[in-house]
Amino acid sequence: MRVIIKDNYDTVAKWAASYVTYKINAYKPTPTKPFVLGLPTGSTPLGMYEELIKLYKAQKVSFENVVTFNMDEYVGLMPSHPQSYHYFMQENFFKYINLKPQNIHLLNGMTKDFAKECSEYERTMRKLGGVNLFIGGVGEDGHIAFNEPFSSLTSRTRVKTLTESTIKANSRFFDNDVSKVPTMALTVGVGTIMDAQEVMILATGKKKAEALKHGIEEGVSHMWTISELQRHPHGIIVCDKEATASLEKSTVEYFLDIERGKF
Ligand code: GLP
């Protein structure tokens, strides 16, 4: 696993956006060989999206031959609901770039048939040859996408009940009212994310320090689903200094040293 430690939120955002740009350009995507990108929501990736929009406007990257799959969506929120992940992606990223509408994939949280929706999502990903780069954030309890603690580490896309801690953490987007937060979500599984050729997890702020400690220094465990990244051949964590607060000093020094000057 690589751990890229940057000074702050902004430099994490810049590094992540430059990396995505580099990967898309190196792949030289075409209509028949698109670059498949897995995308997260949340406050952590917002800065990266802003940077990617700037890079797109500066013609450093094009999304013309990029296909996206979002990680998750709340059950029961219309795409037009301001807290739905459909709305988030549209407002914070998609509307500014040249991604083709038919190349955008998000789980339909309004579906009546969860199983069908989820298996079709997986099938579409497979048909495209899988995900090239899956980007994610991490919850305070170490969850990736909505794979809450004790999710199977081989899980696939499915419906999940959200934990009290996640509902509480996400209530900040719902007028701080926990009763407004959906209790279920559709989410890609840990196994779905780990099938990607490369996985890049972004983590910023002190609140993510415990998740990083368990993800980087402790054993692989379904209690902290981020820890499965340890078994991925190309896993990257991009974090700021605050998020490394619970790591051993020697761990931080090791990664600062080995990643010095690398992209
Ligand atoms: C939600 C999302 C996750 C995200 C997490 C952290 O639970 N389902 O994909 O990583 O929040 O969000 P934030 O970046 O806002 O801390």
Side-chain angles (χ1 to χ4, degrees):
M1 174 196 287
R2 295 181 65 189
V3 180
I4 317 288
I5 303 168
K6 295 283 160 197
D7 282 344
N8 53 44
Y9 181 93
D10 290 346
T11 41
V12 166
K14 281 201 170 78
W15 194 93
S18 309
Y19 192 71
V20 173
T21 298
Y22 161 69
K23 293 304 286 192
I24 294 174
N25 290 339
Y27 190 78
K28 299 189 174 60
T30 65
T32 50
K33 195 193 79 160
F35 188 87
V36 183
L37 191 58
L39 295 176
T41 53
S43 31
T44 316
L46 271 177
M48 174 189 73
Y49 289 139
E50 277 169 28
E51 289 299 325
L52 279 171
I53 294 164
K54 281 188 208 157
L55 289 165
Y56 164 69
K57 287 187 172 153
Q59 297 184 344
K60 303 275 187 221
V61 65
S62 166
F63 296 91
E64 200 185 346
N65 296 314
V66 172
V67 173
T68 64
F69 285 87
N70 262 83
M71 298 189 117
D72 42 19
E73 178 56 289
Y74 289 115
V75 165
L77 294 191
M78 296 285 285
S80 56
H81 188 291
Q83 296 314 330
S84 77
Y85 289 168
H86 278 75
Y87 189 90
F88 175 101
M89 291 309 298
Q90 200 54 41
E91 290 305 305
N92 293 300
F93 192 38
F94 295 157
K95 75 176 188 189
Y96 299 104
I97 58 169
N98 64 337
L99 201 57
K100 294 182 182 137
Q102 67 269 27
N103 285 349
I104 296 172
H105 299 91
L106 279 119
L107 286 154
N108 174 12
M110 296 302 291
T111 182
K112 293 220 161 49
D113 191 341
F114 296 144
K116 187 166 169 247
E117 173 70 17
C118 295
S119 60
E120 269 172 16
Y121 206 63
E122 294 262 345
R123 195 172 318 123
T124 314
M125 259 182 219
R126 269 199 309 275
K127 262 202 333 222
L128 284 156
V131 175
N132 294 97
L133 173 64
F134 224 128
I135 308 170
V138 60
E140 290 169 36
D141 57 5
H143 72 252
I144 47 175
F146 268 130
N147 294 288
E148 299 281 34
F150 304 106
S151 290
S152 160
L153 298 180
T154 59
S155 50
R156 313 303 309 185
T157 305
R158 69 214 182 289
V159 64
K160 280 293 285 179
T161 303
L162 305 184
T163 61
E164 214 180 299
S165 123
T166 297
I167 291 176
K168 218 168 139 193
N170 290 2
S171 66
R172 68 188 194 279
F173 301 114
F174 293 84
D175 310 323
N176 287 313
D177 181 350
V178 284
S179 73
K180 287 189 183 165
V181 185
T183 55
M184 291 195 299
L186 298 182
T187 179
V188 294
V190 181
T192 319
I193 300 168
M194 295 302 151
D195 274 356
Q197 278 171 27
E198 203 168 356
V199 180
M200 177 168 80
I201 302 292
L202 313 178
T204 54
K206 260 209 186 87
K207 283 187 174 170
K208 304 296 167 72
E210 279 305 296
L212 284 203
K213 177 167 186 59
H214 287 274
I216 297 169
E217 292 180 336
E218 307 282 318
V220 174
S221 163
H222 60 174
M223 287 177 72
W224 300 81
T225 54
I226 187 181
S227 64
E228 181 66 3
L229 194 64
Q230 293 174 23
R231 292 173 2 100
H232 194 284
H234 300 290
I236 308 181
I237 291 180
V238 193
C239 60
D240 64 359
K241 287 212 169 119
E242 282 190 9
T244 66
S246 299
L247 295 180
E248 298 291 337
K249 201 167 159 256
S250 55
T251 306
V252 174
E253 277 168 5
Y254 169 81
F255 284 113
L256 283 174
D257 177 42
I258 198 143
E259 292 294 345
R260 187 168 299 128
K262 276 197 212 160
F263 189 49

